[in-house]
Amino acid sequence: MRSDAVTKGVQQAPHRSLFNALGFTKEEMDRPLVAVVSSYNEIVPGHMNLDKIVEAVKMGVSMAGGTPVVFPAIAVCDGIAMGHTGMKYSLVTRDLIADSTESMVMAHQFDAMVCIPNCDKNVPGLLMAACRLNIPTVFVSGGPMLPGHVKGSNTSLSSMFEAVGSYSAGTMTAEDVCEFEENACPTCGSCSGMYTANSMNCLTEALGMGLQGNGTIPAVYSARIRLAKHAGMKVMEMLEKNIRPRDVVTEDAIMNALTVDMALGCSTNSMLHLPAIAHEIGMELDLDVANAISAKTPNLCHLAPAGHTYMPELNEAGGVYAVMNELNKKGLLNTECMTVTGKTVGENISGCVNKNPEVIRPIDNPYSVTGGIAVLKGNIAPDSGVVKRSAVAPEMMVHEGPARVFDCEEDAIDAIKGGKIVAGDVVVIRYEGPKGGPGMREMLNPTSAIAGMGLGSSVALITDGRFSGASRGASIGHVSPEAAVGGPIALIEEGDIIKINIPENTLNVDVSDEVLAERKAKWQPREPKITTGYLARYTAMVTSGNRGAILEVPKAN
């Protein structure tokens, strides 16, 4: 056991004296030490119930013969961080979470690990840490929120943000906004649509790192507590069988996750996080493969914001395993991949039927024959741009219009809410990428303002930043290279005609190569917006969005 380095032998007597100070018994020190990485805090609604999950996991580990030891991981609420400088600190926490978890596990020589994330960057950060550390690990999240109810209809956070846009447009009263405010987010849990948190929790099942139901069982269901106990027991089985994350998260498993991503219609943020997770297993995930997978993978689900169904309905319809079983009817998954159940993907999903064909479309009757995400390329985005195709109105799948150029999110919001953006426009928000932001802010505010003002089917938005999973419409993010490093998005001028063709995966500005070259010759890099603290170090180390915004040590000149 790894933990022998801190619990066994005469040389470890000082170490044991410190365990004694913690109240550990000899019997506890003789058992495997299992890290329980708790993301509990009192600022993220998706994390306020994690203390209950932690206690259940600890019970499961103890019942199976291990010694659970809890330590924390940070987490940011993207909703609360949205629309101000706080959003610069969201994506960057993914690497803090991975690094701090690595530090704690290595410093204390844990034998195995149960990760308890829930929202947004917490899930990929801990998946990165698990792959990096490669000790037996099981994931169990806090679960999704129940949908809210406003005026007789289900709703969630995306509708709340759009209500603000409707108020600005004069189509909703302050009283209406207040009703949304009181009812949109009714319980603990990750916001109830197929936003980033739920996307990544669902993908833990597709990757094989979470047990069945991890992505979909609502936070307030007692089944979530039972799942947590089983996760604690299962990690001890993984330890006994020596099944490790890199046995589970293989290149084939990453391809399975991309396939399930396309079928579910996940957040575009998955196109940042899957490459970062792949990087931890030594795989460089070229986003070009996403279009190849999308071309053969039908989109089976339209959860909010793409449609009007929510996570509890997906859970009741059979969850992620039922979606995977539909995909397997056409041989779209590698069913031989190992999982933390100790069984293969094929064994796990066998017999998992689709209980509601209105929530999970049958494979022969999909919402679309292609997947929910598209990667676009062109002279604006030579490396890539990403759009949630399943949440784009049909009339916006091909769009051409004049560029309305803004160098930060705030200026764009002022223009949108000030009525300066009209039907047909293409809003360009740049210098918001990983380096330029810094931190690649999510931009739910401008997309929600556009939708709330009734422009969702006539105005497009492109950015080198990114979008919340709650965004809908022709919102194209992750444009790479970003403006801060001289990417072509920095060369667009007000009034240039932007051409978007999502079916053909293209994104171009109608300007000649010669003119773009002239503009590039005049372009000057800007001084970093932040020069101190963590964001300054992040700016120096972060790579492009198409590489997952991973961190690399800068090469010496």
Side-chain angles (χ1 to χ4, degrees):
M1 289 290 174
R2 285 162 49 98
S3 60
D4 288 354
V6 294
T7 60
K8 301 293 191 297
V10 174
Q11 292 296 320
Q12 280 65 45
H15 306 71
R16 289 194 298 275
S17 73
L18 293 168
F19 278 97
N20 288 335
L22 288 163
F24 279 71
T25 64
K26 181 179 183 303
E27 290 81 2
E28 287 174 302
M29 284 185 270
D30 285 342
R31 295 176 175 181
L33 295 183
V34 179
V36 179
V37 188
S38 169
S39 302
Y40 169 79
N41 65 42
E42 295 181 342
I43 191 63
V44 184
H47 291 223
M48 63 183 285
N49 65 318
L50 295 190
D51 55 340
K52 310 295 188 300
I53 304 298
V54 167
E55 291 306 312
V57 167
K58 288 173 65 179
M59 186 174 293
V61 170
S62 297
M63 286 191 294
T67 298
V69 185
V70 179
F71 66 79
I74 64 169
V76 164
C77 177
D78 278 17
I80 295 175
M82 195 71 65
H84 55 86
T85 192
M87 182 46 72
K88 296 178 185 291
Y89 287 87
S90 173
L91 178 61
V92 306
T93 64
R94 185 188 69 185
D95 296 272
L96 277 177
I97 291 161
D99 293 349
S100 60
T101 302
E102 174 194 358
S103 299
M104 288 294 288
V105 168
M106 294 303 295
H108 302 100
Q109 292 294 286
F110 287 102
D111 298 303
M113 180 167 65
V114 179
C115 292
I116 307 176
N118 209 28
C119 291
D120 294 335
K121 314 313 166 294
N122 209 239
V123 187
L126 288 174
L127 281 167
M128 289 163 66
C131 292
R132 189 183 302 173
L133 290 162
N134 203 33
I135 61 174
T137 302
V138 176
F139 274 67
V140 57
S141 75
M145 186 183 290
L146 297 181
H149 300 277
V150 178
K151 300 186 186 302
S153 299
N154 285 347
T155 189
S156 60
L157 185 66
S158 55
S159 299
M160 180 70 255
F161 274 89
E162 290 178 14
V164 176
S166 297
Y167 175 77
S168 297
T171 59
M172 188 174 285
T173 67
E175 290 76 16
D176 290 331
V177 174
C178 185
E179 185 177 1
F180 270 93
E181 181 180 333
E182 294 291 334
N183 296 289
C185 300
T187 70
C188 64
S190 48
C191 297
S192 192
M194 190 54 76
Y195 310 147
T196 304
N198 292 326
S199 294
M200 294 308 301
N201 281 321
C202 286
L203 293 185
T204 63
E205 293 188 54
L207 285 167
M209 290 297 290
L211 302 180
Q212 182 180 6
N214 184 52
T216 59
I217 297 172
V220 296
Y221 284 14
S222 297
R224 175 66 55 180
I225 301 296
R226 297 197 297 273
L227 183 74
K229 291 176 182 176
H230 282 126
M233 290 185 271
K234 188 59 68 174
V235 80
M236 296 304 296
E237 183 182 325
M238 297 299 94
L239 182 60
E240 181 182 351
K241 294 179 178 179
N242 196 30
I243 298 176
R244 300 167 180 260
R246 286 182 217 160
D247 300 321
V248 175
V249 185
T250 61
E251 292 194 14
D252 286 335
I254 295 286
M255 293 300 106
N256 279 349
L258 272 171
T259 301
V260 174
D261 188 328
M262 296 298 173
L264 286 172
C266 288
S267 163
T268 52
N269 280 305
S270 63
M271 295 295 104
L272 279 176
H273 301 321
L274 285 175
I277 294 162
H279 180 74
E280 296 293 343
I281 65 167
M283 174 189 179
E284 294 303 313
L285 181 59
D286 187 336
L287 288 186
D288 285 349
V289 75
N291 284 340
I293 289 176
S294 179
K296 62 182 181 180
T297 305
N299 177 225
L300 304 181
C301 300
H302 264 193
L303 282 84
H308 300 288
T309 53
Y310 295 84
M311 294 306 294
E313 293 163 278
L314 178 59
N315 186 62
E316 291 159 13
V320 176
Y321 278 17
V323 173
M324 294 174 74
N325 204 24
E326 287 288 345
L327 294 170
N328 196 42
K329 290 176 182 178
K330 290 198 173 180
L332 296 176
L333 298 175
N334 185 321
T335 57
E336 297 304 311
C337 291
M338 179 51 62
T339 73
V340 295
T341 66
K343 299 177 181 179
T344 64
V345 166
E347 291 172 317
N348 284 344
I349 66 176
S350 178
C352 293
V353 299
N354 179 358
K355 300 176 184 177
N356 188 340
E358 297 302 314
V359 176
I360 304 172
R361 287 282 186 93
I363 194 77
D364 292 322
N365 182 33
Y367 282 101
S368 64
V369 295
T370 53
I373 290 177
V375 175
L376 312 184
K377 288 191 174 184
N379 65 359
I380 295 175
D383 291 337
S384 68
V386 179
V387 64
K388 188 169 183 174
R389 183 197 336 234
S390 60
V392 178
E395 56 267 40
M396 291 298 290
M397 297 294 281
V398 177
H399 180 75
E400 182 176 320
R404 305 300 308 282
V405 182
F406 305 93
D407 287 350
C408 68
E409 177 186 6
E410 289 83 357
D411 289 350
I413 292 172
D414 288 345
I416 295 165
K417 292 186 175 180
K420 297 177 181 178
I421 302 301
V422 299
D425 284 348
V426 179
V427 177
V428 177
I429 306 178
R430 61 193 181 189
Y431 294 99
E432 290 284 7
K435 286 184 179 293
M440 204 177 186
R441 287 195 285 181
E442 280 186 349
M443 299 190 194
L444 182 54
N445 277 350
T447 59
S448 297
I450 287 170
M453 296 183 77
L455 297 171
S457 59
S458 60
V459 169
L461 195 158
I462 67 173
T463 181
D464 51 8
R466 60 195 179 92
F467 296 110
S468 166
S471 293
R472 62 187 175 99
S475 304
I476 301 163
H478 309 190
V479 169
S480 302
E482 62 174 294
V485 298
I489 191 172
L491 311 178
I492 298 172
E493 295 183 357
E494 185 82 7
D496 285 350
I497 299 301
I498 307 293
K499 296 183 175 181
I500 300 166
N501 192 317
I502 296 173
E504 294 185 3
N505 302 317
T506 59
L507 175 63
N508 289 290
V509 58
D510 192 15
V511 174
S512 70
D513 292 345
E514 291 77 14
V515 171
L516 286 176
E518 290 173 6
R519 293 179 185 178
K520 181 61 183 287
K522 298 176 184 177
W523 178 83
Q524 294 292 323
R526 302 187 176 191
E527 291 296 318
K529 294 176 183 176
I530 295 177
T531 58
T532 60
Y534 178 52
L535 287 182
R537 297 195 300 276
Y538 184 87
T539 300
M541 297 177 68
V542 71
T543 62
S544 180
N546 69 299
R547 296 187 58 203
I550 60 172
L551 301 187
E552 287 184 340
V553 177
K555 295 179 180 178
N557 292 328

